[in-house]
């Protein structure tokens, strides 16, 4: 392709090209060798994005007057950094691009599944967030980025940026549990949705729980650094609490990839044994390699596990947008972004940052971590604009898990992280009294409380309100 071919013409050409050509990524970074010409899928069975419309119009935004930061993804990372960029560089215009029309929180969603909070508690308005924090909300899907020209393309037009922050979250990797076929994957997602991305999947899961009458309800814990390490165990407790309350002959069957509960294990085991002995069956060391939708079963190398209903949580990976933009770190098995571990910018581009669950840094994929990281990266970007170097700062993870429903009792742990450079040699690092490295996560323990209590249950609700306020209320209201 000639260098002078304009972007618009390139997109037009791509849209009208033959199947093989059209399957080249918008930025040409998807190697054709990775695409199966018969199916139009990546060779691992994952569909790739291709343009279906021509992006030739400018997005309908006020004209760009000075600096502009564009934030992709209105989740925990994106909304927090938008607010803090605006606070630190008030003269900079900040635009959040988010494809959804309404915010739904994954944190606390397990409580909602068990009827402990209303839907209102976990849903919020993007419009309020933008209004209260003085930035622009643009509802659209990001299709591509031209880093050379500093332009973001959406189906509702393109916009220029000076700084770009990507916080697009995660996608599922069903291939990792043996589901490669496109059709089977869709059937699986419809019948037994994981509900680890906010939205319809959760609503389907709640209906399943409410209508379940007897038998085995399967949940799974995937391999790798998956989104919210304690959430599958919390969900197990919450679903078991519903079965117990309704006194139905039903059990949660929890199949765990690891050999034991990695996080808050003491607290979860105590809840399993003391509160839900008849309602939870926990089986560790199960690495799923197959899902049989007809037989309603999953298998590892040794056994087949039959179930009556399920929410199957596959391995996760960084959002496909990261891959589509050609930003994957080669060594990352979960296709996370290749960023500078201390500053979060793409290695060769200090204008583009990745935060939240798409990052490759070994932090817990949690909302509180994403918020703390967002505040830090807002300082890094503001520092760059002002010519000030900001010292590296570990994000905090503060994490409550509800384990009992009546009364509401929770357990807690909080942590900071090892400096990315010392994480590799963490086991020799005496500065940290108690830590462990697993799944690439390098914790430096700080605080934990595994004795479930109502007090911690109340703290958890307070935690949620504070963290929602960080995204949806103004800084004055938050203080
Ligand atoms: C059941 C459950 C319980 C959890 N409990 C807790 C908890 O108790 N505490 C805690 O701290 N964390 C918890 N988490 C984890 C937390 O939800 C995530 O870690 C957090 O949401 C990550 O933030 P993020 O910004 O990276 O991604 P997200 O919050 O998922 O935001 C990504 C956003 O990007 C948007 N997007 C993606 N691609 C595009 C595109 N191309 N164009 C436009 N928009 C796009 C998506 O629509 C989405 O809104 C829990 C998660 C689950 C699933």
């Amino acid at each position: 392709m000639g260098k002078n071919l304009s972007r618009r013409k390139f997109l037009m050409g791509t849209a009208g090209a033959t199947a093989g050509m059209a399957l080249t990524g918008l930025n040409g970074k998807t190697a054709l060798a990775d695409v199966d010409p018969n199916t139009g899928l990546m060779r691992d069975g994952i569909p790739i994005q291709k343009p279906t419309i021509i992006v030739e119009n400018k997005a309908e935004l006020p004209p760009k007057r000075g600096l502009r930061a564009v934030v992709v993804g209105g989740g925990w990372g994106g909304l927090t950094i938008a607010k803090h960029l605006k606070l630190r560089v008030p003269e900079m215009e900040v635009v959040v691009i988010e494809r959804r029309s309404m915010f739904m929180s994954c944190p606390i969603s397990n409580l909602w599944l068990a009827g402990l909070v209303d839907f209102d508690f976990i849903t919020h308005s993007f419009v309020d967030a933008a209004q209260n924090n003085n930035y622009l909300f643009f509802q659209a899907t990001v299709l591509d980025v031209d880093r050379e020209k500093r332009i973001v393309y959406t189906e509702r037009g393109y916009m220029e940026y000076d700084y770009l922050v990507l916080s697009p979250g995660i996608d599922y990797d069903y291939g990792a549990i043996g589901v490669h076929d496109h059709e089977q994957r869709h059937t699986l997602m419809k019948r037994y949705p994981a509900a680890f991305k906010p939205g319809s999947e959760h609503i389907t899961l709640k209906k399943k729980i409410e209508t379940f009458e007897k038998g085995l309800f399967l949940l799974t814990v995937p391999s790798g650094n998956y989104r919210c390490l304690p959430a599958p165990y919390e969900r197990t407790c919450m679903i078991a609490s519903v079965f117990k309350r309704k006194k139905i002959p039903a059990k949660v069957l929890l199949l765990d990839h690891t050999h034991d509960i990695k996080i808050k294990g003491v607290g979860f085991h105590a809840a399993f044994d003391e509160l839900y002995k008849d309602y939870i069956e926990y089986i560790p060391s199960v690495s799923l390699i197959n899902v049989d939708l007809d037989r309603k079963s999953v298998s590892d190398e040794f056994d087949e596990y039959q179930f009556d209903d399920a929410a199957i949580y596959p391995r996760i990976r960084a959002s496909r947008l990261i891959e589509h933009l050609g930003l994957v770190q080669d060594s990352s098995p979960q296709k996370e972004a290749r960023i500078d571990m201390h500053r979060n910018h793409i290695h060769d581009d200090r204008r583009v940052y990745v935060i939240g669950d798409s990052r490759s840094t070994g932090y817990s994929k949690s909302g509180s971590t994403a918020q703390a990281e967002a505040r830090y990266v807002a300082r890094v970007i503001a520092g760059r604009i002002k010519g000030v170097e900001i010292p590296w700062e570990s994000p905090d993870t503060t994490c409550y898990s509800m384990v009992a429903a009546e009364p509401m009792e929770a357990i807690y742990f909080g942590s900071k992280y090892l400096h990315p450079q010392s994480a590799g040699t963490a086991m020799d690092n005496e500065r940290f009294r108690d830590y462990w490295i697993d799944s690439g996560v390098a914790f430096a323990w700080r605080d934990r409380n595994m004795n479930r209590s109502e007090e911690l249950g109340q703290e958890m609700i307070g935690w949620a309100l504070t963290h929602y306020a960080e995204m949806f209320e103004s800084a004055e209201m938050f203080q």
Side-chain angles (χ1 to χ4, degrees):
M1 186 190 318
K3 265 200 160 176
N4 295 332
L5 188 61
S6 75
R7 170 143 206 109
R8 188 173 76 84
K9 282 185 185 147
F10 172 49
L11 292 178
M12 289 171 96
T14 311
T18 61
M21 279 302 289
L23 284 165
T24 306
L26 276 171
N27 52 13
K29 282 181 184 126
T30 304
L32 278 178
D34 293 340
V35 179
D36 181 335
N38 297 319
T39 62
L41 304 178
M42 295 289 280
R43 293 215 188 271
D44 61 1
I46 295 160
I48 62 167
Q49 295 170 328
K50 62 171 185 162
T52 51
I53 59 159
I54 298 158
V55 184
E56 60 182 349
N57 54 312
K58 256 195 173 185
E60 287 180 13
L61 289 173
K64 182 173 179 298
R65 292 192 187 91
L67 283 177
R68 178 190 279 165
V70 172
V71 177
V72 177
W76 283 65
L79 294 184
T80 307
I81 199 163
K83 171 185 193 156
H84 284 267
L85 282 172
K86 201 64 202 165
L87 285 172
R88 297 207 168 264
V89 193
E91 69 278 14
M92 183 162 69
E93 181 185 78
V94 177
V95 184
V96 171
I97 308 178
E98 165 59 48
R99 62 186 170 199
R100 296 169 207 260
S101 62
M102 192 181 70
F103 178 95
M104 179 184 164
S105 170
C106 282
I108 308 294
S109 65
N110 286 332
L111 280 65
W112 171 70
L113 291 176
L116 304 187
V117 297
D118 293 336
F119 195 53
D120 275 2
F121 191 87
I122 57 170
T123 48
H124 301 268
S125 159
F126 289 119
V127 177
D128 287 350
Q131 170 68 18
N132 289 336
N133 293 294
N134 204 20
Y135 57 78
L136 298 170
F137 172 66
F138 191 77
Q139 193 189 340
T141 298
V142 169
L143 303 173
D144 200 14
V145 173
D146 185 332
R147 289 197 286 131
E148 218 167 283
K149 294 193 180 126
R150 290 193 220 138
I151 292 177
V152 178
Y153 292 86
T154 80
E155 86 284 15
R156 290 187 53 215
Y158 65 86
M159 65 184 78
E160 290 140 353
Y161 67 84
D162 296 286
Y163 291 91
L164 177 66
V165 181
L166 303 171
S167 190
I170 60 156
D171 272 310
Y172 299 130
D173 177 6
Y174 282 97
I177 56 169
V179 181
H180 300 284
D181 177 68
H182 199 26
E183 199 174 324
Q184 195 196 5
R185 187 165 61 89
H186 273 273
T187 310
L188 174 55
M189 284 168 76
K190 275 192 289 185
R191 284 199 203 155
Y192 309 116
F196 269 79
K197 291 202 282 183
S200 299
E201 295 179 27
H202 281 83
I203 294 169
T204 301
L205 176 57
K206 187 165 167 68
K207 278 199 194 123
K208 280 171 177 285
I209 296 164
E210 283 169 354
T211 53
F212 198 68
E213 288 178 344
K214 62 175 181 187
L216 283 181
F217 197 104
L218 173 74
L219 297 180
T220 58
V221 185
S223 61
N225 185 8
Y226 58 86
R227 171 170 271 188
C228 196
L229 296 173
Y233 310 104
E234 179 188 63
R235 182 173 285 175
T236 299
C237 291
M238 290 293 94
I239 298 178
S241 79
V242 175
F243 296 166
K244 187 177 173 182
R245 186 182 70 227
K246 289 164 80 175
K247 296 191 177 70
I248 53 174
K251 262 190 181 184
V252 181
L253 170 61
L254 180 62
L255 301 181
D256 193 340
H257 172 86
T258 50
H259 65 278
D260 200 356
I261 302 175
K262 281 191 291 196
I263 195 140
K264 302 181 189 159
V266 174
F268 281 121
H269 275 304
F272 287 8
D273 295 343
E274 294 162 16
L275 302 175
Y276 309 113
K277 209 163 185 41
D278 298 330
Y279 295 93
I280 293 175
E281 187 173 346
Y282 173 67
I283 306 181
S285 304
V286 179
S287 303
L288 295 188
I289 52 169
N290 188 38
V291 180
D292 189 325
L293 291 167
D294 296 328
R295 288 174 55 80
K296 281 190 166 183
S297 73
V298 293
S299 310
D300 67 359
E301 208 184 330
F302 311 103
D303 295 297
E304 183 184 17
Y305 303 88
Q306 222 106 29
F307 58 82
D308 296 288
D309 209 343
I312 296 176
Y313 188 8
R315 189 174 164 91
I316 60 124
R317 43 161 295 167
S319 161
R320 289 207 162 76
L321 182 66
I322 298 294
E323 183 176 26
H324 178 68
L325 299 180
L327 302 179
V328 169
Q329 176 162 303
D330 288 343
S331 60
S332 167
Q334 292 179 242
K335 303 198 173 184
E336 294 145 336
R338 55 179 161 82
I339 52 169
D340 177 287
M341 296 291 174
H342 302 97
R343 299 281 179 262
N344 286 64
H345 61 79
I346 296 294
H347 283 314
D348 57 350
D349 191 343
R350 286 172 176 238
R351 300 268 179 176
V352 179
Y353 295 74
V354 179
I355 61 169
D357 289 356
S358 279
R359 72 174 92 75
S360 50
T361 327
Y363 304 151
S364 171
K365 293 188 192 293
S366 89
S368 72
T369 317
Q371 285 199 342
E373 181 184 47
R375 286 187 288 270
Y376 162 69
V377 175
R379 287 174 56 221
V380 169
I381 295 173
R384 287 225 161 116
I385 292 168
K386 293 168 188 165
V388 181
E389 200 59 23
I390 303 295
W392 179 79
E393 198 177 90
S394 163
D396 292 284
T397 297
T398 53
C399 184
Y400 293 85
S401 298
M402 199 64 81
V403 292
E406 293 166 325
M408 293 203 294
E409 292 177 337
I411 52 180
Y412 168 79
F413 107 109
S415 176
K416 279 191 181 281
Y417 295 83
L418 298 178
H419 187 278
Q421 262 170 5
S422 56
T425 54
M427 300 312 284
D428 307 322
N429 190 330
E430 288 173 9
R431 280 186 301 140
F432 299 95
R433 67 187 155 82
D434 184 14
Y435 48 77
W436 113 88
I437 303 179
D438 202 352
S439 318
V441 179
F443 288 122
W445 289 114
R446 196 179 56 173
D447 194 14
R448 52 189 152 175
N449 189 342
M450 293 302 120
N451 297 318
R452 64 176 181 273
S453 69
E454 284 183 66
E455 195 186 342
L456 289 176
Q458 284 311 308
E459 278 181 27
M460 181 171 186
I461 299 298
W463 174 96
L465 292 172
T466 312
H467 284 72
Y468 293 158
E470 170 70 310
M471 294 182 279
F472 296 96
E473 292 178 14
S474 67
E476 298 84 61
M477 287 162 84
F478 182 54
Q479 275 157 10

